[in-house]
Amino acid sequence: MADLVQTLITALAIGSLYALIALGYTMVYGILKFINFAHSDIVVLGAWISYTLSSKLLPRLGLDPHNPVTPPPIWVAAVVLILSMIICGLIGFVIERLAYKPLRRAPRLNVLITAIGVSLLLQNLGQLNFMFGASPQKMPALLPGWEIATLTFSDGESARSVVINLVDTVIFATSATLMLLLQYLVFRTKLGTAMRAVSFNPDNAALLGIPVDRVVSFTFVLGSALAAAAGFLYVMKYPGMNQPAHTIWVLLGLKAFVAAVIGGIGNVRGAVLGGFVIAFVEQFGAFYISSNYRDVYVFALLIVILLVRPTGLLGSPLREKV
Amino acid sequence: MPRDSTQSPQTRLTPANSGFSGTTGNAWYGLFPLVAGLAMATALQFILPGAAGPYYSRIVIDAGIAIVLAVSLNIVNGMTGQFSIGHAGFMALGGYTAGILTHYGSMLLWGSAGRHGGFLGSGELLFAASCLAGGLISAVAGYVVGLPSLRLRGDYLAIVTLGFGEIMRVILQQTGRVIDDAEKFRSGGLSQLIPPPVGGAVGFDGLPKYTSLFWVYSLVTVTVVVAYRLKVSSPGRAMISVREDEIAAQAMGVDIARQKVMAFVIAAFFAGAAGGMFAHESGVIISPRDAGFQRSFDYVIMTVLGGRGSISGVLIAAAVLTALPEMLRDFEQYRLIVYALLLIMMMLVRPQGLFGIHEIWDLFAPFLRRQQKAAP
């Protein structure tokens, strides 16, 4: 029972990260109909920018970032989070303008290849010495190590307790807040209506006076900001940061992408559902079957879902017009 | 999508204008490229190592393996218009299969895992057969991976191939240690093959180093000839029609699912055989990382730069992109940045690749045509 609850907590925290990243994939796919391979690299940038910001900010407050005696005040985490979301949003804007906008009318395959190019570029630029460098770093702890609650389970003679950490709670709460805000934005505001209109039919949307280019740019900014938040939260939970081109980052992005596809790519609610489904399959598979194959479960689930329901769990069936 | 005509200009050799005639002429026309390629491979084998030394020979071998992988990937990505980003998965599968066969096969046949026999000796024949077997196993995997194309298109199929490569990588990491003791292997039962003793995450070390210029360039010859004959034959035309417009192709009676699966099977076969060569190359230890998407992306970049559908273009791109990093050793950390910029610029400026759908000899077509007109 204790193991079950522990796995559940981890799955919820990881699942909300996958969901945050998947939202970026799904929004871009919904509007431009291409897989933004560079999205996972925005997550990496978000993480590394948070690292750079906090290792610059903490010494100014008289704290040693690598050997914290007292945890920094809670607003530092919030400032770092918001700053890295803004910076990554700007980077997303620039990428869209320079690399994707000229290809708006090009075949989808070309855009996909460009996205792979942008992804390689970001990874390897990030590895340069004057950027983040090619060696792993340790993220300073910005959140105090509080325990929110302790649950104790006893089975007959022995009792085991499960601790709910502040980190997991913050991850879940931040992601949930951001997702609810996005939900509100997409379904309740004029801008969200414009986004959905562009996604439905860009030409008609343009005829109706919707500034398509601005809506697309805004989508990129939004997706990149969410990715940055996910990157920040990820390194809060796992402070050992790998260098920007490390496989672990690409796998994180890939799994989030799988989440978007499983939920039905282009569907905002589907991405959230997919994120949690992936995390549950991965965590429970890792715990109850074998942790060596945790990536295999995710990709196997992807292939099964694609074969049984090619448009994902919540996706609407495609109709092809000749 | 700009639809350029898939017919190459009237410059390719046909039996009618090749100077050969009759049945022998046809057979000779078909065999000539193969014979020429094998002769070139033999010449390379005996001349290059002496003339240029082991360092350059190794680069030429690497380039040959990259050519086979890029040209075969081009059958899927360029000719059939699908997007496979799991080609390295097929390569690794073939490489490991061939490795098991030569390593443990030599132990059973000759009692030791080392190199056996000289040029074209019994060891090399076992190696060639193993590469062939690796190709066949990969082709079976290609069939399985190609099957979802019955239901999936474009991006989704790309994700499935990506998933295949990643699954290969993870599974290969979970394999057992290599058994180096021939006596122990011969006396042990079949149970020691589960999990396969191919080295896990560190890679399959200790394989006999059979890969030579002759074998690699023989494979290059076969690959290029098959790809070219496919391109100008009716099955290949059917593949190209799938690339140009699936719905129109279907309306013309092309079985599009069959064409896609066939493209995957052919491409996977050559990737598997090339993997066998790669695994037995000296200085290389094939490891699970070789199945990952980073390697797959390398070959995607080669096909994109060369021109999707152009065999000679992809061949040149593969050779150049293999040799270039060696020359730019000092700029190692900038290599992938340059690649990435090349890729983006290419898509923005010349999305069809350097040669587009044309072959390099099509560049000379205008001159040839003028001559033909002037002749009569």
Side-chain angles (χ1 to χ4, degrees):
Chain A
M1 188 63 191
D3 292 335
L4 182 78
V5 174
Q6 184 65 61
T7 317
L8 198 70
I9 293 170
T10 316
L12 278 176
I14 299 288
S16 45
L17 290 182
Y18 286 158
L20 270 186
I21 307 172
L23 282 170
Y25 278 114
T26 225
M27 285 194 300
V28 168
Y29 192 92
I31 287 192
L32 291 181
K33 301 284 178 289
F34 85 97
I35 302 171
N36 183 12
F37 264 98
H39 190 63
S40 66
D41 302 292
I42 303 284
V43 179
V44 185
L45 280 183
W48 275 92
I49 289 172
S50 322
Y51 166 77
T52 315
L53 285 175
S54 40
S55 56
K56 292 267 185 299
L57 199 59
L58 288 182
R60 286 175 183 256
L61 298 172
L63 296 162
D64 181 6
H66 298 292
N67 192 14
V69 189
T70 50
I74 201 90
W75 60 264
V76 176
V79 166
V80 169
L81 172 66
I82 289 168
L83 273 180
S84 85
M85 281 174 77
I86 292 173
I87 296 174
C88 283
L90 287 177
I91 295 174
F93 175 79
V94 173
I95 290 174
E96 198 272 328
R97 274 295 145 101
L98 293 185
Y100 301 145
K101 190 163 173 256
L103 294 171
R104 206 53 67 68
R105 299 267 157 208
R108 277 158 62 186
L109 206 53
N110 293 3
V111 196
L112 194 63
I113 294 167
T114 312
I116 292 177
V118 173
S119 165
L120 281 176
L121 184 68
L122 289 181
Q123 280 176 16
N124 292 288
L125 275 180
Q127 296 248 73
L128 292 180
N129 290 332
F130 56 86
M131 294 290 286
F132 307 119
S135 48
Q137 298 289 350
K138 190 172 181 304
M139 179 77 188
L142 295 182
L143 295 170
W146 293 342
E147 296 169 1
I148 297 292
T150 310
L151 310 168
T152 312
F153 301 94
S154 60
D155 51 338
E157 53 263 34
S158 66
R160 287 189 53 198
S161 56
V162 176
V163 177
I164 303 178
N165 285 320
L166 179 69
V167 176
D168 290 330
T169 323
V170 166
I171 289 178
F172 189 75
T174 316
S175 315
T177 316
L178 288 174
M179 284 187 272
L180 286 175
L181 278 177
L182 183 77
Q183 178 81 14
Y184 175 79
L185 183 87
V186 172
F187 291 100
R188 291 278 184 279
T189 62
K190 210 169 171 183
L191 192 57
T193 315
M195 281 168 70
R196 284 182 289 141
V198 173
S199 155
F200 194 72
N201 187 331
D203 294 333
N204 266 357
L207 283 179
L208 292 172
I210 295 172
V212 175
D213 282 339
R214 233 182 289 166
V215 171
V216 170
S217 292
F218 180 74
T219 312
F220 265 85
V221 171
L222 207 59
S224 305
L226 290 180
F232 170 81
L233 294 172
Y234 184 82
V235 288
M236 285 289 104
K237 185 161 172 61
Y238 302 106
M241 296 171 65
N242 286 295
Q243 64 269 35
H246 196 273
T247 326
I248 209 130
W249 294 114
V250 189
L251 268 179
L252 176 71
L254 272 183
K255 283 182 193 162
F257 171 66
V258 168
V261 176
I262 283 181
I265 197 154
N267 185 318
V268 173
R269 288 166 189 159
V272 177
L273 175 71
F276 285 109
V277 167
I278 285 290
F280 274 80
V281 167
E282 185 193 36
Q283 296 298 328
F284 279 87
F287 189 78
Y288 286 100
I289 307 172
S290 159
S291 67
N292 289 336
Y293 294 98
R294 58 170 66 204
D295 302 337
V296 172
Y297 308 136
V298 174
F299 288 110
L301 179 73
L302 167 77
I303 292 175
V304 169
I305 296 246
L306 280 182
L307 288 179
V308 179
R309 232 187 119 79
T311 48
L313 293 174
L314 298 186
S316 48
L318 283 177
R319 252 173 305 160
E320 192 150 348
K321 277 176 263 171
V322 180
Chain B
M1 183 166 183
R3 301 248 168 87
D4 23 21
S5 149
T6 54
Q7 288 288 340
S8 54
Q10 284 298 314
T11 49
R12 70 186 172 81
L13 285 172
T14 60
N17 70 6
S18 63
F20 306 116
S21 58
T23 326
T24 29
N26 269 330
W28 177 237
Y29 166 71
L31 283 177
F32 175 71
L34 278 178
V35 174
L38 291 184
M40 184 197 70
T42 319
L44 274 178
Q45 165 82 10
F46 288 107
I47 296 169
L48 193 72
Y55 175 68
Y56 289 100
S57 307
R58 162 117 202 251
I59 296 176
V60 175
I61 287 183
D62 281 338
I65 293 174
I67 288 172
V68 174
L69 283 156
V71 168
S72 61
L73 179 64
N74 201 30
I75 295 174
V76 175
N77 286 13
M79 283 173 64
T80 321
Q82 305 303 299
F83 196 60
S84 166
I85 35 182
H87 208 51
F90 296 116
M91 184 198 96
L93 182 62
Y96 271 89
T97 310
I100 290 175
L101 289 176
T102 49
H103 188 76
Y104 297 109
S106 320
M107 284 187 181
L108 290 180
L109 288 171
W110 305 303
S112 78
R115 199 187 150 85
H116 196 269
F119 179 62
L120 288 184
S122 49
E124 292 217 339
L125 293 182
L126 172 73
F127 161 67
S130 305
C131 287
L132 197 65
L136 289 175
I137 296 282
S138 276
V140 173
Y143 181 74
V144 175
V145 175
L147 273 188
S149 63
L150 302 174
R151 298 203 52 169
L152 306 173
R153 296 162 185 254
D155 308 347
Y156 289 98
L157 192 61
I159 308 157
V160 170
T161 58
L162 190 84
F164 165 74
E166 284 307 295
I167 290 177
M168 278 308 301
R169 187 178 64 81
V170 177
I171 289 178
L172 287 174
Q173 272 173 355
Q174 308 306 325
T175 48
R177 295 181 56 181
V178 181
I179 303 169
D180 287 320
D181 188 348
E183 288 310 312
K184 195 176 138 226
F185 179 71
R186 291 175 104 162
S187 53
L190 277 176
S191 62
Q192 54 187 344
L193 290 178
I194 299 165
V198 292
V202 289
F204 200 165
D205 198 2
L207 289 177
K209 303 303 180 195
Y210 283 121
T211 304
S212 62
L213 285 161
F214 172 76
W215 289 110
V216 170
Y217 278 86
S218 302
L219 182 63
V220 168
T221 306
V222 175
T223 314
V224 171
V225 169
V226 167
Y228 182 70
R229 302 288 295 180
L230 195 63
K231 189 179 170 183
V232 298
S233 68
S234 68
R237 291 290 188 218
M239 285 177 184
I240 292 172
S241 73
V242 172
R243 172 187 76 191
E244 294 293 314
D245 191 328
E246 286 196 13
I247 296 165
Q250 209 165 16
M252 296 302 289
V254 173
D255 185 350
I256 54 172
R258 192 186 134 91
Q259 298 305 329
K260 291 182 195 170
V261 173
M262 202 158 81
F264 266 100
V265 169
I266 296 173
F269 173 79
F270 286 111
M277 304 269 171
F278 178 74
H280 294 82
E281 189 183 343
S282 67
V284 169
I285 298 172
I286 191 168
S287 71
R289 237 180 322 149
D290 291 317
F293 50 86
Q294 267 139 351
R295 185 172 272 275
S296 297
F297 279 175
D298 282 350
Y299 303 119
V300 170
I301 292 171
M302 290 170 191
T303 59
V304 170
L305 289 188
R308 287 180 281 138
S310 166
I311 293 160
S312 47
V314 170
L315 191 148
I316 293 167
V320 170
L321 287 188
T322 318
L324 210 57
E326 297 292 334
M327 314 203 170
L328 302 176
R329 264 290 142 94
D330 300 340
F331 303 98
E332 178 60 26
Q333 58 171 337
Y334 296 99
R335 177 178 72 102
L336 280 166
I337 296 176
V338 173
Y339 275 20
L341 285 174
L342 264 179
L343 208 58
I344 300 170
M345 291 311 290
M346 202 72 175
M347 284 298 114
L348 293 178
V349 180
R350 196 172 162 80
Q352 69 270 46
L354 277 181
F355 291 97
I357 57 164
H358 300 287
E359 300 297 344
I360 189 161
W361 46 88
D362 292 345
L363 293 177
F364 307 112
F367 309 107
L368 292 175
R369 213 176 297 150
R370 209 167 298 145
Q371 275 177 355
Q372 274 173 355
K373 250 179 220 161

